[in-house]
Amino acid sequence: MPAVVLTIDGKEVQTEKGKTVLAAALEAGIYIPHLCRHPDLAPLGACRLCLVEIEGRPGPVASCTTPAEDKMVVKTRTPQQDRLRRLALELILAAHPPDCTACPKYLKCELQSLAQYLGITDQRLRRRQKPFPVNTGNPLFVHDFTRCILCGRCVQACNELRGAGVLNFVGRGRETHIGTAFGLPLAEAGCRFCGACVEACPTGALRDKEEALLPGKNRQEALVPCRSTCPAQIDIPRYVRYIKEGKYPEAAAVIREKVPFPAVLGRVCNHPCEANCRRGKVNAPVAIRELKRFAAARDDGRRKKNTRKPSSTGRRVAVVGAGPAGLTAAYCLARLGHGVTVFEALPLPGGMLRVGIPAYRLPKEILDAEIKEIEEAGVEIKTGAKVTSLDPLFKEGYSAVLVAAGTHRGQKLSIPGAGLPGVLTGVDFLRAVNLGAKVPLGKKVLVLGGGNVAFDCARVALRLGAAEVLLACLEPAENMLADPEEIVEAKEEGVVVYPSRTFTGIVDRGGRPAGVACREIRSFSFDEEGRLRLDVVEGSEHILPADTVIFATGQRPEVPPEFGLATGRGGVILADPETLSTGKEGVFAAGDAVTGTASVVAAVAAGRKAAAAIDRYLGGDAVIDEKLAPAEEPSPRLGREEGFAFLPRRQAPLAPAEERHAGFAEAACGLGEEDAREEARRCLQCDLRLKISPVKFWADYSLRK
């Protein structure tokens, strides 16, 4: 593009031919007041605030619509311009409420900023009340007509940026407002709920509902909650978009940029992303976990050509524990060029993925395939290799040690009868079953606990032939800790659930359990010391019959004293929350051994964090992410889609209950291609909003002078 040289306020400015005077001035750090102009939208010249004087032309002109020309001489602030701008802004403020504090905390009001710049502290023109109530009836957004200045930026964003055509000017003359055709709710008008209109609005007339934003999050995190609440920070909108476009290997590559267990997480992740998905406020959240599983199954390996090919650093790292945290850390460290050996006490790698999750939820061949990729990255895994002391590892030449031993020790409640034969812990029970050992069970099995481990135990007991399986827990039905789908599927298979129960003892009949004495509770809480406080229903004592009792009421790590590591409540390792250092030179700790039992994805995230911390300790830059997917910018245009808000969530097929508990075959089948693409199409693509250019305020320019 040929250059154009003009003079603005005595300063020589060079810009590209075709750019406007306003654009040239702003690029040069010269602020010209404006309101209707947005960097991503076509100029309108409607607000009349950007008027300038150009030598040789009669009267002021709108700088946002006037092309810059060679040798043009421009004045941006004269007494006449100040008077016209003040009058234009006072006319706007006359129909605007004086209090704008209802705007989101992260949104600064451009209108108030301009009033401050022009020195307007009161209005000579009488305010008039607009005859439109605040509309809070739409999902995600508030439409406050009283704050609207009819600048048209929201209409432009909806039409020009997104191609949705939902918003427009409605009415005539004085009562013109922004709205949908026939005043339809956004859902019925074909809205894509992308938020572009909110992003473009300069006054908060269109704004996010406070309850639709994540509390305590910054703007970027609040607007893309699926990504920000994923412990591993997987770029969810990006891989969902690839699935919608039919680019499945690319979707898998996006996931693998952050985690080495996409197929595992596609089955057993507790999906906090879905709980916070903004689509859930419209009708139902996107089935993000199912889409992850779909993409992982269609990974053709082309991403491998983009993997980092590091040279050896000559440093060696020992990882104690081959669970999700340890294996993730090992994989990331190997990709950075460090030599990594993982020591696992069990006969097979995988940690709780291997011994704590039943095969009907996580087939072992899926786990094996992903562990194989970790080994192919250069990680050596030694199984049946229990580490009893860390000091010999350093003597063997390891520069750092990561303890990621998990929580493999089950806990029983301290109640009478807990030591009877036939009273098991869920951890021991699941480990034995997963490793192929025979576990003798009675006909009536009672599981105590309300988390995923408890429901796994109950469903495994059914598959092992128990005639009756009961589950009792402290939590009320609506607050049980297990994933909702686990509870539903267990009930379908025949598990009978007794919520809101406390346990006082195990009934001893001839040295074997005959049941558990229980009481119903109204509520429970914990005091400052962590002691349980119960509100018990008087006279509610009863016995739940059982000849096998399984405690699934907690797990803790087993950290040998010889490790020399400080431990806290529950036996967890005390580590710095940022560096994961244990205080012992060169020794780090991560995963459930530090946090207590958490989710698989949280353990994976902890492994990533540990890898970065160890690499930094070894002199690296702690950059563990790889760019495996193509660097493509998504199209901002979404188009109009009637009925978009009502698109139903696609459900993955599930084998019938009678087939499920007959064996350990995988219960869920996963989404097919058509369903996966339709489900991906439901995504609001919230991340596109962050690609809209931010508007700079006059203070931003004054600081540059």
Side-chain angles (χ1 to χ4, degrees):
M1 276 273 186
V4 170
V5 180
L6 66 161
T7 302
I8 304 177
D9 292 340
K11 178 181 178 180
E12 188 176 279
V13 172
Q14 182 172 306
T15 189
E16 294 176 358
K17 185 175 178 61
K19 289 200 172 182
T20 65
V21 171
L22 178 59
L26 297 178
E27 288 171 0
I30 302 170
Y31 180 71
I32 299 175
H34 57 278
L35 193 57
C36 64
R37 185 257 187 192
H38 186 280
D40 296 342
L41 303 173
L44 294 176
C47 68
R48 311 305 291 169
L49 291 169
C50 71
L51 298 177
V52 297
E53 293 179 8
I54 298 177
E55 191 174 280
R57 298 192 186 186
V61 298
S63 61
C64 70
T65 57
T66 302
E69 297 178 3
D70 219 21
K71 300 182 180 179
M72 181 180 274
V73 178
V74 180
K75 293 182 180 179
T76 72
R77 194 158 192 183
T78 67
Q80 180 189 12
Q81 291 167 0
D82 283 347
R83 181 178 61 81
L84 291 174
R85 285 173 184 152
R86 289 176 60 86
L87 178 60
L89 190 57
E90 285 174 346
L91 285 168
I92 292 171
L93 289 170
H96 198 73
D99 180 13
C100 289
T101 57
C103 294
K105 295 178 178 61
Y106 59 75
L107 175 65
K108 295 187 292 182
C109 180
E110 294 179 47
L111 190 61
Q112 296 302 320
S113 174
L114 274 171
Q116 182 184 8
Y117 176 79
L118 294 174
I120 297 176
T121 56
D122 57 4
Q123 285 74 50
R124 294 173 296 162
L125 301 176
R126 187 174 62 186
R127 294 186 181 275
R128 84 178 163 82
Q129 186 66 38
K130 294 183 180 181
F132 304 111
V134 177
N135 182 355
T136 60
N138 289 305
L140 301 178
F141 310 128
V142 172
H143 193 171
D144 189 345
F145 297 92
T146 63
R147 285 174 166 74
C148 181
I149 59 173
L150 297 177
C151 66
R153 276 166 43 172
C154 60
V155 175
Q156 283 186 283
C158 185
N159 287 268
E160 294 177 17
L161 290 183
R162 297 292 185 256
V166 172
L167 295 180
N168 217 321
F169 292 94
V170 180
R172 292 178 178 273
R174 187 167 176 155
E175 303 308 332
T176 297
H177 66 281
I178 303 295
T180 62
F182 308 108
L184 291 173
L186 292 177
E188 296 178 22
C191 180
R192 301 299 297 267
F193 294 95
C194 65
C197 57
V198 175
E199 198 66 22
C201 179
T203 66
L206 282 165
R207 60 183 183 269
D208 295 289
K209 285 184 173 179
E210 289 289 340
E211 62 269 26
L213 298 173
L214 290 179
K217 297 288 186 178
N218 63 34
R219 175 177 176 275
Q220 185 167 346
E221 293 171 337
L223 294 180
V224 192
C226 61
R227 187 167 61 197
S228 66
T229 57
C230 172
Q233 299 291 287
I234 299 172
D235 195 345
I236 293 167
R238 189 175 173 213
Y239 83 71
V240 171
R241 188 180 299 115
Y242 273 136
I243 292 173
K244 183 186 71 170
E245 296 170 354
K247 300 176 180 178
Y248 310 136
E250 290 84 349
V254 171
I255 301 166
R256 280 197 171 270
E257 288 180 343
K258 297 290 187 180
V259 299
F261 290 109
V264 168
L265 290 173
R267 288 165 169 81
V268 300
C269 183
N270 67 330
H271 50 75
C273 51
E274 291 186 28
N276 294 287
C277 174
R278 284 168 67 85
R279 174 80 203 205
K281 303 285 186 182
V282 179
N283 64 346
V286 175
I288 298 169
R289 183 176 69 184
E290 288 294 338
L291 292 177
K292 186 184 288 96
R293 171 176 171 170
F294 175 85
R298 287 152 183 82
D299 182 359
D300 63 4
R302 70 179 69 172
R303 59 180 164 78
K304 293 182 180 180
K305 68 178 183 297
N306 297 324
T307 57
R308 188 187 288 119
K309 298 174 177 58
S311 55
S312 174
T313 64
R315 302 298 188 98
R316 298 169 63 206
V317 180
V319 177
V320 180
L327 289 177
T328 298
Y331 175 79
C332 294
L333 288 166
R335 298 303 313 147
L336 293 172
H338 303 301
V340 187
T341 304
V342 181
F343 297 88
E344 172 56 60
L346 292 170
L348 294 168
M352 279 298 178
L353 296 176
R354 173 79 59 184
V355 300
I357 301 177
Y360 64 83
R361 288 182 60 203
L362 177 58
K364 301 315 172 191
E365 60 270 20
I366 297 296
L367 177 60
D368 290 339
E370 300 206 315
I371 292 176
K372 183 181 178 183
E373 286 227 12
I374 293 172
E375 291 178 303
E376 289 174 351
V379 175
E380 180 186 12
I381 302 176
K382 293 184 177 181
T383 56
K386 186 173 183 178
V387 176
T388 56
S389 175
L390 303 180
D391 294 336
L393 295 174
F394 289 102
K395 292 178 181 178
E396 291 173 23
Y398 292 101
S399 304
V401 175
L402 172 64
V403 180
T407 51
H408 288 263
R409 181 180 173 188
Q411 293 180 281
K412 296 180 180 180
L413 298 177
S414 297
I415 59 176
L420 289 171
V423 178
L424 315 173
T425 68
V427 173
D428 293 337
F429 172 64
L430 292 175
R431 182 192 303 118
V433 173
N434 279 313
L435 291 178
K438 286 195 174 185
V439 182
L441 288 180
K443 290 297 181 182
K444 294 185 177 182
V445 176
L446 173 59
V447 180
L448 305 181
N452 281 338
V453 173
F455 279 90
D456 284 344
C457 290
R459 297 174 70 184
V460 167
L462 281 174
R463 285 160 172 78
L464 292 179
E468 183 180 0
V469 177
L470 312 180
L471 182 147
C473 62
L474 190 65
E475 297 81 15
E478 64 275 12
N479 290 330
M480 284 193 289
L481 301 178
D483 294 340
E485 59 266 30
E486 290 296 306
I487 299 170
V488 170
E489 291 172 22
K491 289 181 177 179
E492 289 174 349
E493 293 170 9
V495 176
V496 181
V497 178
Y498 292 87
S500 299
R501 299 297 196 276
T502 183
F503 317 113
T504 58
I506 296 176
V507 179
D508 184 345
R509 182 177 297 164
R512 297 286 302 181
V516 175
C518 307
R519 292 189 294 177
E520 294 183 31
I521 62 170
R522 295 186 186 88
S523 63
F524 69 93
S525 60
F526 294 92
D527 63 18
E528 293 180 355
E529 302 298 322
R531 291 186 293 261
L532 180 63
R533 294 286 183 257
L534 299 174
D535 180 9
V536 178
V537 178
E538 293 299 325
S540 64
E541 294 82 1
H542 59 286
I543 294 175
L544 293 177
D547 49 21
T548 300
V549 178
I550 302 175
F551 279 97
T553 51
Q555 301 161 218
R556 60 186 299 164
E558 290 185 288
V559 182
E562 293 80 9
F563 279 16
L565 303 180
T567 57
R569 185 171 182 171
V572 298
I573 300 170
L574 298 180
D576 184 282
E578 295 303 319
T579 66
L580 300 184
S581 172
T582 63
K584 187 172 183 177
E585 183 65 29
V587 179
F588 301 79
D592 289 357
V594 173
T595 62
T597 304
S599 64
V600 175
V601 71
V604 168
R608 285 172 45 81
K609 188 174 183 178
I614 292 171
D615 183 59
R616 187 181 294 111
Y617 173 77
L618 297 177
D621 57 12
V623 177
I624 62 174
D625 288 341
E626 295 184 89
K627 298 297 182 183
L628 303 178
E632 298 177 2
E633 279 298 312
S635 170
R637 293 186 68 82
L638 300 176
R640 186 181 183 89
E641 184 173 349
E642 299 295 341
F644 174 78
F646 306 106
L647 293 175
R649 177 179 163 116
R650 299 297 176 113
Q651 300 293 338
L654 193 66
E658 59 273 15
E659 293 181 14
R660 297 202 301 265
H661 68 65
F664 284 84
E666 188 169 16
C669 304
L671 293 173
E673 183 173 10
E674 180 181 351
D675 280 338
R677 293 189 66 170
E678 285 298 305
E679 184 59 24
R681 192 162 65 89
R682 297 179 63 245
C683 179
L684 304 185
Q685 301 189 59
C686 302
D687 62 324
L688 292 181
R689 182 167 166 184
L690 299 179
K691 298 182 181 297
I692 296 176
S693 300
V695 174
K696 292 183 179 179
F697 289 71
W698 63 269
D700 298 320
Y701 294 93
S702 63
L703 292 173
R704 291 169 57 184
K705 292 182 180 179

